[in-house]
Amino acid sequence: MAEIPSTYSESWFRIAQQRVSLRAHVRVHRQFFRGERWYVLQDPFNNQYFRVRPPAYEFLARLRPDRTVDAVWKETFEADPDNAPGQEEVIRLLAQLYGANLLHSSLAPDSARLFERFTKRRQRERKAFFRSIMFARIPLFDPDHFLKRAMPVGKALFSWLGLLVWLVVVGAAMKVVIDNFSDLKDQTEGVLAPDNLFWLYVGLVIIKAVHEFGHAFACRRFGGEVHTMGIMFLLFTPIPYMDATASWAFRSRWQRALVGAAGMIVEVFVASLATFVWVSTSPGTIHSLAYNMMLVASVSTVLFNANPLLRFDGYYILSDLLDIPNLHQRSTGLLKHGIEYYCFGYKKSTNPARSRRETVWLAVFAVASWIYKVIIFTTILFFLADRFLILGMIMAVVCAVAWICVPIYKLIVYLASSPKLERTRFRAVSVVLGFLLFLMLVLDVIPFPNRFRSPGVLQAYEHSLVVTGVSGRIAEAVTLDGSDVVKGQPLFRMSNRDLELQIEAARAQLAQTESMILRAMKENSADLKPLRSREEATRKLLKRLLESQTELVVRAGHSGVWVAPGIEDLVGSWHERGKPIGQIVNQSRFYFSAIISQKEASRLFTDEIRDSEVKMYGQAGETLTVVEQTVIPADQQNLPSAAIGWAGGGEVAVDLQDKSGTKAVEPFFEVRSTVVGSEDLVMLHGKGGRIRFDLPPEPLLRQWVRKLRQLLQQRYGI
């Protein structure tokens, strides 16, 4: 027998003379992944599954109560020395099967050991429960009997005819959504209103119940069994769930993928039916319920079910389509292998990836899923804290313990007592301490660029809005849009027939009054005083009307560029007095008006700002140089331009009740920066942009702590 030193283990003597075998109730299924044969061991009592490679199964299949583990391993090694599992792999394999209570031994059962394994298993279940407390599950009943009786429905759903019906219904629903998108968007604004929260939850329960039964019918359709259905507390909200792990034993990866997608398929179908109900009903209970079912189906499918970075439907579909079983565990194992092998020097560490392509997939998935989990859980924590501050704080503490304290504790125990590091423990500890020292230097010692950005608008120092001085029709556009003008130059001419008639009437009245005064001087001098008063009033009226007539020719108030897009199209249209028509902008000198939030305003008055630069939207490659800066010391609430606020497509929150779109929700400070640009840069009055303020360099950790404190103070006042 060929002997390979790396095949042996120093701990082999502990199990060599044991006589064990697989329990009689264990079922074996054969599967193919990427052209390779695998075996799936199923425990029907607790619905658990274990995948093993053919060499490992060849060893397990030879185990019998009358043969020792050492004899079986030697026989397996002699039969196939190139592929037979090594002693270390056999020890790990038997330990996993022993922990799952899948091994039978001819020795008398040790009740203490059985109870110990049961206790450890319950402890693992409790730990898993608390680690995933936002998605905790409680099983309630066995739906398998019902699924057997309703199997004709399941066969009809997952057939070619069912696919055709699904395509027709979903396609028609999409057309309805497109045709009524504006109404759908308007109703979305009130989705979190107090009177809609109940119907939102009812819609969630209905959609998720249908979703889980979709999984169950698909699993039963292809021969699997479904024995668990219950309630999952999604963000402490009870919704239905079911266990379709029986699909792991299916040989066809397409069947496994279909079981994973079945919930979303049925969910979208029911949401499509709800779309027809929504568009056919008037506002009321049925209308609101249908809308909430549509909303829940779309949001939950995108954020959770279809997303492969969380361990929901999309994850299992991706795992099956890639033919990479246990994608999450193996991706984590890949990172652990990289650290143990390359950093800690443990050369016996095995790579869970079997090819370079699989290594890339596992590495990308490990990093992407970790980043996405941090983002989604942080979003969830803030969502909870916005509504229930105490609950959000409790969950933040739980997450901090689970993500920071527990991993640190495990790392310390691993470094101190792991047998793997028996020969490289000093190196491992040195690497960890060196990494922590490097992390501390980078985060809390080395200064990094420190800056913040604020939105604003570019404005000319000399600009004015041109409005109509009197009511009338625009008769002629004297000066075209974009022309240079000087002070007093006519811009456009208006006409007002009523004004002309009033002037004629005033002149006639004045002439009549003058005649009456001449006659009174000859006949009745007592009438002179009221006639003189009437004459004075008429002259004032005529003067005012003539002044209004001169205002029919609108002139430039100062030099600049006449900006009036579409002025030619306004000829002949009527405009009331005070209607803005255009503006005159003197492009010789500009300033950038920036909006500084209150959380950043303190730095404006402490001389921390070292430099600043302005970039306009749509001109990222060009920079405006700040030559002078003025801070308006008092906080304000009216924006210098609606373009900065939400109403104008900006990023500053404004009061939705304000029709002008310039009243900010929160007070702010304004910084006016005189700017100059290159000759090729076009500077437009009213164009939006952002200004960057450079502050003294500061370590990253201090910057992050400050931003976190500002966020907590702004949102929760703490």
Side-chain angles (χ1 to χ4, degrees), residues 275-542:
T275 303
F276 301 131
V277 175
W278 173 77
V279 77
S280 303
T281 56
S282 56
T285 300
I286 302 299
H287 185 79
S288 298
L289 181 60
Y291 164 76
N292 285 294
M293 291 173 63
M294 295 163 54
L295 180 68
V296 168
S298 59
V299 173
S300 64
T301 298
V302 173
L303 291 182
F304 295 101
N305 295 113
N307 194 315
L309 300 178
L310 293 175
R311 298 182 68 180
F312 292 107
D313 299 340
Y315 163 79
Y316 296 105
I317 295 172
L318 178 65
S319 180
D320 288 324
L321 295 181
L322 294 178
D323 268 348
I324 304 179
N326 300 323
L327 181 59
H328 182 270
Q329 294 90 334
R330 294 177 67 191
S331 63
T332 305
L334 179 67
L335 297 182
K336 184 178 179 181
H337 162 72
I339 295 174
E340 289 182 341
Y341 188 87
Y342 296 103
C343 299
F344 296 168
Y346 179 61
K347 299 304 179 183
K348 291 185 178 182
S349 177
T350 57
N351 189 343
R354 299 188 304 275
S355 65
R356 181 175 298 179
R357 178 175 178 271
E358 193 167 284
T359 300
V360 174
W361 271 110
L362 292 177
V364 171
F365 179 83
V367 175
S369 62
W370 184 84
I371 294 175
Y372 185 78
K373 284 179 182 177
V374 171
I375 294 175
I376 197 69
F377 273 88
T378 303
T379 304
I380 291 172
L381 286 176
F382 280 115
F383 177 82
L384 289 174
D386 288 341
R387 287 152 181 80
F388 314 101
L389 180 58
I390 300 299
L391 180 60
M393 294 175 63
I394 294 174
M395 290 309 306
V397 172
V398 172
C399 289
V401 171
W403 293 350
I404 300 176
C405 300
V406 173
I408 291 176
Y409 171 76
K410 289 183 177 180
L411 176 62
I412 294 174
V413 173
Y414 171 76
L415 293 174
S417 60
S418 175
K420 296 180 180 180
L421 305 180
E422 185 175 352
R423 298 180 180 179
T424 61
R425 196 176 310 279
F426 178 77
R427 173 178 172 176
V429 173
S430 300
V431 169
V432 172
L433 293 178
F435 175 75
L436 293 177
L437 179 61
F438 171 77
L439 199 63
M440 184 180 67
L441 288 174
V442 171
L443 295 181
D444 199 36
V445 177
I446 300 176
F448 280 81
N450 185 16
R451 55 189 58 147
F452 69 93
R453 294 174 173 82
S454 298
V457 63
L458 189 65
Q459 293 186 319
Y461 270 102
E462 189 177 17
H463 67 278
S464 60
L465 190 65
V466 177
V467 300
T468 55
V470 293
S471 301
R473 298 183 185 276
I474 296 180
E476 179 186 3
V478 180
T479 304
L480 299 180
D481 172 48
S483 301
D484 292 328
V485 298
V486 295
K487 183 177 180 180
Q489 179 176 333
L491 301 176
F492 57 92
R493 183 174 57 82
M494 303 179 66
S495 64
N496 188 331
R497 182 57 181 166
D498 292 339
L499 180 60
E500 294 175 358
L501 294 176
Q502 291 176 13
I503 292 175
E504 293 178 1
R507 285 174 174 169
Q509 185 178 1
L510 180 59
Q512 181 186 24
T513 304
E514 290 175 345
S515 299
M516 294 176 65
I517 290 175
L518 293 174
R519 187 174 60 182
M521 292 175 63
K522 296 179 180 180
E523 299 177 357
N524 188 2
S525 59
D527 295 335
L528 284 177
K529 187 175 181 179
L531 289 175
R532 295 287 186 188
S533 299
R534 180 181 178 183
E535 178 188 22
E536 183 179 0
T538 305
R539 289 185 182 277
K540 289 181 180 179
L541 173 62
L542 180 59

Side-chain angles (χ1 to χ4, degrees), residues 459-630:
Q459 293 186 319
Y461 270 102
E462 189 177 17
H463 67 278
S464 60
L465 190 65
V466 177
V467 300
T468 55
V470 293
S471 301
R473 298 183 185 276
I474 296 180
E476 179 186 3
V478 180
T479 304
L480 299 180
D481 172 48
S483 301
D484 292 328
V485 298
V486 295
K487 183 177 180 180
Q489 179 176 333
L491 301 176
F492 57 92
R493 183 174 57 82
M494 303 179 66
S495 64
N496 188 331
R497 182 57 181 166
D498 292 339
L499 180 60
E500 294 175 358
L501 294 176
Q502 291 176 13
I503 292 175
E504 293 178 1
R507 285 174 174 169
Q509 185 178 1
L510 180 59
Q512 181 186 24
T513 304
E514 290 175 345
S515 299
M516 294 176 65
I517 290 175
L518 293 174
R519 187 174 60 182
M521 292 175 63
K522 296 179 180 180
E523 299 177 357
N524 188 2
S525 59
D527 295 335
L528 284 177
K529 187 175 181 179
L531 289 175
R532 295 287 186 188
S533 299
R534 180 181 178 183
E535 178 188 22
E536 183 179 0
T538 305
R539 289 185 182 277
K540 289 181 180 179
L541 173 62
L542 180 59
K543 181 181 179 181
R544 188 168 61 252
L545 292 174
L546 291 175
E547 289 175 351
S548 298
Q549 188 178 39
T550 60
E551 291 181 358
L552 290 174
V553 179
V554 180
R555 301 177 182 274
H558 57 84
S559 299
V561 177
W562 168 231
V563 182
I567 183 65
E568 297 88 350
D569 299 332
L570 297 180
V571 175
S573 59
W574 178 270
H575 296 277
E576 295 295 333
R577 180 176 180 270
K579 175 68 178 294
I581 302 298
Q583 59 182 341
I584 299 175
V585 179
N586 189 336
Q587 297 182 329
S588 61
R589 194 171 179 224
F590 284 89
Y591 69 91
F592 187 83
S593 178
I595 304 304
I596 311 299
S597 63
Q598 290 186 329
K599 65 181 182 181
E600 302 287 0
S602 60
R603 305 189 179 190
L604 298 176
F605 307 102
T606 56
D607 297 328
E608 290 188 46
I609 298 177
R610 293 189 172 185
D611 194 11
S612 56
E613 64 177 25
V614 176
K615 288 190 176 183
M616 309 307 299
Y617 295 136
Q619 298 174 325
E622 299 288 344
T623 300
L624 299 179
T625 304
V626 177
V627 297
E628 185 182 354
Q629 208 161 62
T630 302

Side-chain angles (χ1 to χ4, degrees), residues 34-53:
R34 296 188 178 178
E36 296 184 15
R37 187 171 70 253
W38 286 70
Y39 290 88
V40 177
L41 308 181
Q42 177 190 2
D43 183 357
F45 290 158
N46 55 23
N47 208 30
Q48 289 187 345
Y49 294 82
F50 301 87
R51 286 190 178 97
V52 296
R53 300 183 65 187

Side-chain angles (χ1 to χ4, degrees), residues 47 73 101 127 167 186 203 250 325 406 495 519 583 657 674 680 691:
N47 208 30
W73 178 77
N101 201 27
K127 289 180 180 178
L167 291 174
D186 293 340
F250 295 166
V406 173
S495 64
R519 187 174 60 182
Q583 59 182 341
Q657 304 299 325
T674 303
D680 298 332
I691 184 171

